């Protein structure tokens, strides 16, 4: 796969020639962004400017993938006027409160395979979604990673061909709910040193 010079031009889109700044003007620290991210379950109807949407999508495009295959596609859906059909994909009312929904779709036929033939399209698509939601957080936008969607409805609503697989959805918009306290396991429970 060849890389093009759009990656270099994208540096300017993502603000890579200096500190990344938040929509309100302050510098954004990566670790603060990670800590600030939460699953937003309430959105304002205000639109997301194209410039910010492009930054979020560019962050997903820059996600690392096995052998740089990029076996994923992003489907951006305007929610207005499509609330009823999108509710078939995921029925919670807040799913369509945001002006946009983004779906990450894996393309298995483009995926790198490990020596035991395990394909990495799901992993690669998940990394792209992670980049997308962290970029959105850095810009003050809200997201909520949704895996509990109806795959058959997703295929129909998005017009997906048989050779691709929907992996995750997220609303994308301005948060209208404060973060809820969600705990995380202590690091000592999650990290092993040298062996299991």
């Amino acid at each position: 796969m060849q890389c093009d010079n759009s990656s270099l031009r994208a540096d300017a889109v993502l603000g890579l020639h200096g500190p990344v700044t938040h929509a309100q003007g302050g510098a954004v620290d990566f670790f603060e962004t990670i800590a600030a991210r939460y699953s937003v379950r309430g959105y304002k109807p205000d639109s997301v400017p194209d410039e910010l949407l492009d930054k979020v999508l560019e962050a997903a495009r820059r996600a690392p993938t096995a052998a740089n295959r990029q076996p994923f596609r992003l489907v951006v859906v305007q929610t207005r006027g499509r609330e009823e059909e999108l509710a078939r994909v995921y029925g919670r009312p807040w799913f369509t409160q945001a002006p946009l929904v983004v779906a990450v779709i894996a393309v298995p036929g483009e995926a790198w395979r490990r020596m035991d033939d395990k394909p990495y399209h799901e992993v690669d698509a998940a990394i792209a979604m992670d980049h997308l939601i962290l970029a959105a957080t850095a810009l003050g936008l809200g997201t909520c990673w949704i895996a509990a969607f109806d795959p058959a409805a997703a295929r129909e609503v998005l017009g997906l061909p048989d050779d691709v697989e929907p992996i995750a959805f997220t609303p994308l918009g301005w948060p209208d709910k404060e973060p809820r306290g969600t705990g995380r396991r202590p690091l000592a429970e999650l990290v092993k040193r040298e062996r299991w």
Side-chain angles (χ1 to χ4, degrees), residues 73 75 105-108 151 154-156 158-166:
R73 301 296 183 274
V75 179
I105 311 298
V107 185
R155 285 187 172 284
E156 188 176 322
L158 299 180
L160 300 179
D162 293 340
D163 62 344
V164 302
E165 179 183 353

Side-chain angles (χ1 to χ4, degrees), residues 62-133:
R62 286 177 161 263
T65 58
N68 197 29
R69 297 281 183 91
Q70 296 181 286
F72 66 87
R73 301 296 183 274
L74 305 168
V75 179
V76 180
V77 181
Q78 300 277 341
T79 58
R80 296 302 162 252
R82 298 191 69 184
E83 292 90 349
E84 191 173 314
E85 62 178 333
L86 287 168
R88 293 176 45 223
V89 175
Y90 186 73
R92 299 294 176 99
W94 50 264
F95 181 55
T96 56
Q97 283 178 343
L100 302 170
V101 166
V102 181
V104 177
I105 311 298
V107 185
E110 295 179 1
W112 175 83
R113 291 176 175 270
R114 197 169 60 191
M115 66 177 66
D116 62 355
D117 208 36
K118 176 183 174 54
Y120 264 63
H121 58 276
E122 290 183 8
V123 174
D124 292 340
I127 296 168
M129 177 63 97
D130 190 56
H131 272 53
L132 187 150
I133 65 173

Side-chain angles (χ1 to χ4, degrees), residues 34-50:
I34 291 172
R37 190 221 60 84
Y38 67 101
S39 296
V40 177
R41 292 181 172 89
Y43 296 87
K44 298 174 184 174
D46 306 1
S47 65
V48 174
D50 288 343

